[in-house]
Amino acid sequence: MSRLAVFVSGGGSNLQALIDSDVKNSIALVVSDRPAFGLERAQKAGIETVELSRKELGKSGLSEAIEKVMAEHKIDLIVLAGYLSIFTEEFSARWRGKMINIHPALLPKFGGKGMYGHHVHEAVLAADESESGCTVHFLGEGVDNGEIIMQAKVPVVEGDTPETLAARVLEEEHKLLPKAVLSVLKG
Ligand code: GRF
């Protein structure tokens, strides 16, 4: 059975969706790069947690520290669920095909550098798109690229703000992420 580590930086509602699904039994560890409410969700569910501070470790120090913790916990699959730090190229190369990310837009559109949080939804509205959604994908060489595992769409509606669109997308994320991770776990 795969041993999964879920990475969070914030509220962790996507982590919660995993905890509330059949994925839970595979979650061996939750990792954060800063103090995050997601850690409390994990602890409440009886899952081990570790905080590796991006601020204290820096980019390469962080990747090294994570690599060590992954080995200690015999992790073979990483799920980035709202994780904001970026890894070194070496780390990404080693974990290629074993690191899954969720992005709040329909990749390959509205991905890449600077496209996170409200920036994504602002860009979708500015481009006058009629739909948006979320993408679960394997991490490739760059930011937000790589093989797409699953996507879900939502409509953009008249009068949408970045906040209303984000909420509609997030609701779909909570359904899509457990489904996509389960499909990877089942091979
Ligand atoms: C989600 O929109 C996710 O797609 C993005 O960051 C947000 C995290 O939300 N990468 P949460 O921490 O899971 O509540």
Side-chain angles (χ1 to χ4, degrees), residues 10-15 41 81-83 101-104 117 121 170 173-174:
S13 68
N14 277 295
L15 165 67
R41 294 182 189 266
Y83 187 71
N101 183 45
I102 180 148
H103 184 75
H121 308 293
L170 191 61
E173 290 183 46
H174 296 159

Side-chain angles (χ1 to χ4, degrees), residues 58-101:
K59 186 175 172 177
S60 66
L62 179 65
S63 288
E64 273 170 37
I66 292 172
E67 197 69 78
K68 216 170 128 212
V69 170
M70 296 300 99
E72 279 164 12
H73 289 264
K74 298 190 167 49
I75 301 299
D76 44 34
L77 189 66
I78 292 176
V79 177
L80 306 177
Y83 187 71
L84 292 174
S85 291
I86 291 173
F87 305 109
T88 59
E89 271 173 40
E90 293 84 347
F91 184 92
S92 303
R94 221 169 5 251
W95 284 87
R96 191 151 306 135
K98 294 179 289 185
M99 187 151 61
I100 296 169
N101 183 45

Side-chain angles (χ1 to χ4, degrees), residues 36-56:
F37 182 63
L39 294 179
E40 284 178 42
R41 294 182 189 266
Q43 284 152 10
K44 209 166 151 200
I47 301 167
E48 232 184 291
T49 61
V50 56
E51 184 184 328
L52 297 168
S53 166
R54 159 78 224 234
K55 217 157 123 192
E56 283 166 28

Side-chain angles (χ1 to χ4, degrees), residues 9-184:
S9 295
S13 68
N14 277 295
L15 165 67
Q16 190 66 53
L18 294 174
I19 289 172
D20 295 338
S21 78
D22 289 341
V23 173
K24 181 181 178 217
N25 298 331
S26 302
I27 307 176
L29 186 69
V30 170
V31 179
S32 83
D33 60 352
R34 66 198 75 195
F37 182 63
L39 294 179
E40 284 178 42
R41 294 182 189 266
Q43 284 152 10
K44 209 166 151 200
I47 301 167
E48 232 184 291
T49 61
V50 56
E51 184 184 328
L52 297 168
S53 166
R54 159 78 224 234
K55 217 157 123 192
E56 283 166 28
L57 294 162
K59 186 175 172 177
S60 66
L62 179 65
S63 288
E64 273 170 37
I66 292 172
E67 197 69 78
K68 216 170 128 212
V69 170
M70 296 300 99
E72 279 164 12
H73 289 264
K74 298 190 167 49
I75 301 299
D76 44 34
L77 189 66
I78 292 176
V79 177
L80 306 177
Y83 187 71
L84 292 174
S85 291
I86 291 173
F87 305 109
T88 59
E89 271 173 40
E90 293 84 347
F91 184 92
S92 303
R94 221 169 5 251
W95 284 87
R96 191 151 306 135
K98 294 179 289 185
M99 187 151 61
I100 296 169
N101 183 45
I102 180 148
H103 184 75
L106 296 173
L107 292 177
K109 279 175 148 181
F110 307 106
K113 221 172 160 24
M115 278 294 148
Y116 62 90
H118 62 96
H119 301 291
V120 177
H121 308 293
E122 278 163 14
V124 170
L125 293 176
D128 225 358
E129 295 285 316
S130 60
E131 57 180 18
S132 188
C134 46
T135 305
V136 178
H137 63 105
F138 284 111
L139 237 72
E141 314 262 334
V143 185
D144 292 332
N145 62 14
E147 186 199 331
I148 289 173
I149 302 165
M150 280 184 195
Q151 289 186 311
K153 289 179 181 176
V154 304
V156 174
V157 303
E158 191 76 36
D160 253 342
T161 63
E163 291 74 28
T164 58
L165 180 56
R168 194 173 311 118
V169 170
L170 191 61
E171 212 175 295
E172 284 308 311
E173 290 183 46
H174 296 159
K175 292 184 229 160
L176 187 71
L177 185 60
K179 207 159 81 177
V181 173
L182 274 178
S183 83
V184 172

